[in-house]
Amino acid sequence: MDFLVDTGSTVNLLRDEQFTEICENADKPIELIKTNAKIYAYGSQETLLLKGKFQADAASKKRRVKATFYVTKTGNERKTFTFELRNICGT
């Protein structure tokens, strides 16, 4: 799966379709946890509608981190990553 690293992002976002794709290829089931987080797209005053969140390991050849991903029902055309994930991606 291709990803866009957004250096201005403060959270990790996946659209519902991308989460479904990850689940279909996962070794074990991924459970979404309810969240009350308020997340805004850049320049927006409306919060994104969130389906839930989950934690997963993210790794590159050199590093591994545990990261929280929020699954959104609306909006973004791309996935965005936090500073923690940018570090493992080498950007």
Side-chain angles (χ1 to χ4, degrees):
M1 183 179 286
D2 293 327
F3 292 95
L4 171 70
V5 177
D6 181 347
T7 58
S9 180
T10 57
V11 296
N12 305 312
L13 291 174
L14 293 172
R15 288 183 312 199
D16 189 33
E17 304 87 44
Q18 290 139 349
F19 175 69
T20 300
E21 183 179 341
I22 289 170
C23 288
E24 289 171 354
N25 296 303
D27 294 334
K28 57 185 177 181
I30 302 172
E31 182 181 341
L32 278 182
I33 302 165
K34 283 188 173 189
T35 181
N36 292 324
K38 303 287 185 206
I39 299 174
Y40 299 84
Y42 180 76
S44 177
Q45 294 187 11
E46 293 183 28
T47 59
L48 296 174
L49 297 176
L50 299 175
K51 188 172 182 178
K53 67 179 181 176
F54 68 97
Q55 286 200 326
D57 289 334
S60 69
K61 292 179 182 178
K62 297 180 181 181
R63 299 181 189 140
R64 174 178 295 274
V65 296
K66 184 162 289 284
T68 300
F69 292 85
Y70 292 90
V71 178
T72 180
K73 295 179 185 178
T74 58
N76 299 342
E77 291 301 314
R78 297 182 174 97
K79 298 147 285 242
T80 57
F81 291 88
T82 63
F83 180 74
E84 185 174 46
L85 289 187
R86 290 195 305 269
N87 282 340
I88 70 153
C89 293
T91 61

